[in-house]
Amino acid sequence: GELIDTCIEVAGDLDPKLAAKLSELREKNPQEVARRLLGSRRLLELAQLKQRDPELYKVKLFELETDANVARLAIEYCRARQKGTQDELAELQGELQQQVMFQVGSTLRSRADYICRLEEEVQRLDAKLKEDLSAFNGLVAARMDHLLNCAARRSKVPPGGVSPDAQRDAPEIPSE
């Protein structure tokens, strides 16, 4: 359903032709496309990221595009070294350096953003822990009440009592 739609959107963000092909295949065999998309760990992770955090998804998409540009330029540079001119090599080297700068800068920015998110989560968890610690006695009482009420409902035993089943099934003990 929705996750499959998002996977196809992500595929379109990466490669519009791939998304068109997936949409066409989905019309013919939706179960097979769903199985394949859900089996694609990286695409699935990107789709979940897009749903959960669209801003971080955009950053990740930029990183992937930059990675692809770096790989493409590195291949072009290697080919040009074999048959290219010095001017062509210098131009490709400049483009490659610019893309590597984007790549490293984006990676560092992502890492800093991730650390900020972790710090926010730690602060939220710390506040929750402090709240729970201040309500310790109330939490214990609520938990005990829940456990005792659930146990009583399950076995029809009044708190501190004996279940009717246990009374019926207990062997008679002769009195002396």
Side-chain angles (χ1 to χ4, degrees), residues 83-102:
K83 3 178 172 163
T85 65
Q86 288 300 324
D87 289 342
E88 186 180 6
L89 284 175
E91 183 181 330
L92 284 171
Q93 186 174 349
E95 287 179 47
L96 184 59
Q97 183 170 355
Q98 183 180 17
Q99 288 297 310
V100 169
M101 288 171 60
F102 285 147

Side-chain angles (χ1 to χ4, degrees), residues 10-29:
V10 168
D13 291 341
L14 299 170
D15 181 356
K17 291 179 185 176
L18 174 61
K21 187 174 181 178
L22 286 170
S23 293
E24 181 182 316
L25 290 172
R26 186 179 188 193
E27 288 179 20
K28 294 177 185 173
N29 190 346

Side-chain angles (χ1 to χ4, degrees), residues 27-145:
E27 288 179 20
K28 294 177 185 173
N29 190 346
Q31 291 82 13
E32 179 63 17
V33 170
R35 186 185 67 75
R36 287 182 183 224
L37 288 176
L38 294 176
S40 173
R41 188 180 65 100
R42 191 163 181 170
L43 188 60
L44 187 59
E45 288 172 352
L46 286 170
Q48 291 169 335
L49 181 61
K50 185 173 185 171
Q51 289 177 334
R52 187 178 63 246
D53 191 338
E55 290 304 311
L56 188 57
Y57 169 76
K58 289 176 187 174
V59 171
K60 188 64 179 170
L61 197 60
F62 178 78
E63 287 178 2
L64 292 171
E65 291 170 358
T66 303
D67 291 348
N69 287 337
V70 166
R72 179 185 53 78
L73 287 169
I75 290 168
E76 285 181 30
Y77 181 83
C78 289
R79 287 182 183 150
R81 266 182 45 194
Q82 295 172 352
K83 3 178 172 163
T85 65
Q86 288 300 324
D87 289 342
E88 186 180 6
L89 284 175
E91 183 181 330
L92 284 171
Q93 186 174 349
E95 287 179 47
L96 184 59
Q97 183 170 355
Q98 183 180 17
Q99 288 297 310
V100 169
M101 288 171 60
F102 285 147
Q103 186 181 43
V104 171
S106 179
T107 299
L108 293 175
R109 187 176 112 211
S110 290
R111 199 177 316 160
D113 288 349
Y114 184 65
I115 289 169
C116 286
R117 290 170 195 272
L118 288 175
E119 288 172 343
E120 289 170 1
E121 182 66 10
V122 166
Q123 288 174 355
R124 187 189 67 74
L125 290 170
D126 187 50
K128 177 69 173 134
L129 176 62
K130 288 176 181 168
E131 178 185 311
D132 288 349
L133 286 172
S134 69
F136 179 81
N137 291 334
L139 290 171
V140 169
R143 180 79 173 132
M144 287 300 296
D145 184 52

